[in-house]
Amino acid sequence: MSTDPGLRRLALGTLLSAFRGEQAPPWAVDLLAEGLAGHVLFGFNIVEREQLAALSASLHAAREGVLIGIDEEGGDVTRLAHRLGSPYPGNAALGALGDPAITRRVYRTIGAELDELGLNLNLAPTVDVNTADDNPIIGTRSFGADPQAVAAHAAAAVLGLQSAGVAACAKHFPGHGATLADSHLELPTVNISTGVLRERELPPFVAAIEAGTKSIMTAHIRVPALTGDAPATFSRAVLVDLLRDELGFGGVVVTDALEMLGAARYAGGVPAGAVLALSAGADLLCIGADVDEALTLACADEIVAAVRDGRLPAARLEEAAARVQALAAWTRSGARTDREEPGLGYPAALGAIRIEGSVDRAAAPLIVQLESESSIAAGRVPWGLGPHINGTEQVRVVADRADVAQLRDRAGTRPIVVVGRNVHRLAGARTLVEALTETHPVTVVEMGWPSSWRPTGARAFITTWGASHANGRAAAETLGLAA
């Protein structure tokens, strides 16, 4: 049986694909001309501004109304600045600073930069309330642990982005902040009542909706009280009954990447997940990062087959495609009321610094940076004090393999500054830090999400609330070590 061209175009119109390389391959452009909603760009697509502007222009040239998305959260999650680190503090630092007006200005500046480069959908802000210190995937991407404070910053971020003509996407609905597992790797469970969900997780999404967010991203998490065994991405109770009917959201529901195992393993593959998500009420399906022509077409073909065999009502597909088209039309007509404020991120990062104890700025220390893995969401982005220090000696060690005696000898009479991300849960880090405090004045610089742990005997504990380029410079200035 031949494929109905109109039905195929509708199916393509619900898909956000991706591709490898610094230029778009022919298939990626051809599918846009055939109705593909758009593409998401990642660090592997970006070398520098002129190249990125040319790439986005080539995609827009394929068809009017193309969406070009990116995860530009600032802070630890950056695609534009993946080679050096973001010049903006992330959400945790902005939350610690406590001024939603600054949050709005930072996101307005990010939005203006994206708009200038031809990108019109920012898969940000993250508005999850991070209530789990050991959350492996949210952490410093969150504005904080207080629902009302997070809500204020969520609204500010949405308003800032969209004042620059870039659509915001509040994520990850109905709230990923209480998880202890990474939905890239498995399906996390948040076993809370609907009452706790409404009181703790939902206020930032309500605020984002009231601020006019054009899109909201789903979470691949299971909330048994609402979703049963299924991820929220595949739950009509979450996407329609709660988000649409109860909260009144009328914009585009975007899925988190369907290639993530929290979705793909449950669905039995990415194409099957695309159908389940549409059936549940999603409109725009983010396939993922590891995407090619074959997978994109497989998703479109499965959607078409589902309409034909009755698994997916044609009216639901038409509704989803229409919402995506309306979003694309807004990005073309939206007023650009505000522009960039260069340099804004660095003073904001400095203002977010929190110091417990006393910092000795007189003595040159030995800096010990603890190696750590990057989260899948952030990817490998440079971090730490290295680019910012004034010639002060720095060594990098793996905490559970470090030789304490060698570090003590190397430091000699100098104090020691230990720099890490999520130090409290890094293997061997607590033992190492506390061993060093027995013989040396030690300052800990926490560039991840802090816990209640503080090392016995440490002189100072400094929290930067993130590991961006801006956060690193702020830490170096706080220590008196800035170049």
Side-chain angles (χ1 to χ4, degrees), residues 354-361 365-368 385 415-420 433 436-437 440-446 455 457-463 475 478-479 481:
R354 297 294 177 265
I355 303 171
E356 300 167 52
S358 59
V359 174
D360 180 5
R361 296 168 63 96
L366 172 68
I367 299 173
V368 178
L385 305 190
I416 296 173
V417 172
V418 179
V419 183
V433 172
L436 292 174
T437 65
H440 287 73
V442 172
T443 294
V444 176
V445 179
E446 172 60 79
R459 169 182 284 173
F461 191 94
I462 297 173
T463 304
T478 298
L479 291 163
L481 303 176

Side-chain angles (χ1 to χ4, degrees), residues 56-433:
S56 62
S58 72
L59 299 174
H60 283 297
R63 175 177 57 81
E64 188 177 68
V66 168
L67 292 172
I68 305 180
I70 194 168
D71 291 274
E72 193 57 38
E73 299 177 17
D76 295 356
V77 179
T78 179
R79 308 298 186 232
L80 295 181
H82 70 99
R83 293 174 176 241
L84 295 175
S86 177
Y88 306 105
N91 288 357
L94 293 170
L97 191 58
D99 187 344
I102 293 178
T103 297
R104 180 170 179 168
R105 290 166 59 197
V106 167
Y107 271 89
R108 178 185 68 197
T109 302
I110 291 173
E113 185 173 7
L114 295 177
D115 181 54
E116 184 179 336
L117 293 168
L119 291 90
N120 53 16
L121 172 62
N122 194 8
L123 302 176
T126 294
V127 303
D128 305 295
V129 180
N130 198 78
T131 53
D133 286 349
D134 291 343
N135 194 319
I137 194 61
I138 303 300
T140 58
R141 301 167 68 197
S142 168
F143 288 112
D146 176 73
Q148 298 307 318
V150 174
H153 289 280
V158 167
L159 291 169
L161 278 174
Q162 294 187 171
S163 70
V166 172
C169 184
K171 61 189 186 186
H172 308 79
F173 191 80
H176 211 313
T179 59
L180 295 174
D182 183 348
S183 52
H184 291 84
L185 305 174
E186 57 186 292
L187 178 56
T189 297
V190 179
N191 203 2
I192 58 175
S193 69
T194 56
V196 171
L197 183 83
R198 286 180 170 84
E199 180 179 336
R200 188 181 71 187
E201 316 294 342
L202 295 188
F205 292 100
V206 172
I209 292 168
E210 291 176 349
T213 187
K214 295 298 176 182
S215 63
I216 287 178
M217 179 178 282
T218 68
H220 303 325
I221 60 169
R222 177 170 42 209
V223 185
L226 273 179
T227 72
D229 291 331
T233 299
F234 303 147
S235 171
R236 187 172 179 83
V238 170
L239 302 189
V240 176
D241 298 346
L242 179 57
L243 182 57
R244 295 286 188 203
D245 295 343
E246 182 176 331
L247 301 187
F249 179 59
V252 171
V253 175
V254 184
T255 69
D256 208 345
L258 294 174
E259 70 178 4
M260 294 164 59
L261 294 184
R265 186 175 287 161
Y266 177 90
V270 176
V275 172
L276 290 179
L278 281 170
S279 298
D283 305 306
L284 184 58
L285 314 178
C286 181
I287 301 174
D290 189 13
V291 181
D292 58 13
E293 180 182 18
L295 180 57
T296 306
L297 291 176
C299 290
D301 290 344
E302 186 66 15
I303 292 168
V304 168
V307 172
R308 285 182 162 176
D309 65 24
R311 286 176 290 149
L312 177 66
R316 170 78 273 270
L317 177 60
E318 291 167 353
E319 176 187 57
R323 285 202 184 106
V324 174
Q325 290 168 8
L327 174 63
W330 178 87
T331 66
R332 297 197 305 278
S333 61
R336 276 65 173 165
T337 59
D338 292 300
R339 305 312 297 169
E340 296 181 57
E341 291 184 66
L344 173 65
Y346 294 99
L350 187 61
I353 292 277
R354 297 294 177 265
I355 303 171
E356 300 167 52
S358 59
V359 174
D360 180 5
R361 296 168 63 96
L366 172 68
I367 299 173
V368 178
Q369 179 164 319
L370 306 181
E371 300 282 14
S372 64
E373 293 294 323
S374 301
S375 73
I376 295 174
R380 294 183 62 84
V381 177
W383 67 281
L385 305 190
H388 313 287
I389 53 179
N390 56 2
T392 303
E393 184 182 8
Q394 174 175 276
V395 295
R396 302 172 74 102
V397 302
V398 177
D400 60 357
R401 295 186 221 159
D403 187 314
V404 174
Q406 284 186 359
L407 290 174
R408 287 170 172 164
D409 288 345
R410 188 160 186 169
T413 60
R414 293 176 291 171
I416 296 173
V417 172
V418 179
V419 183
R421 296 188 295 190
N422 308 305
V423 178
H424 69 281
R425 69 172 191 256
L426 196 59
R430 294 191 190 198
T431 301
L432 173 62
V433 172

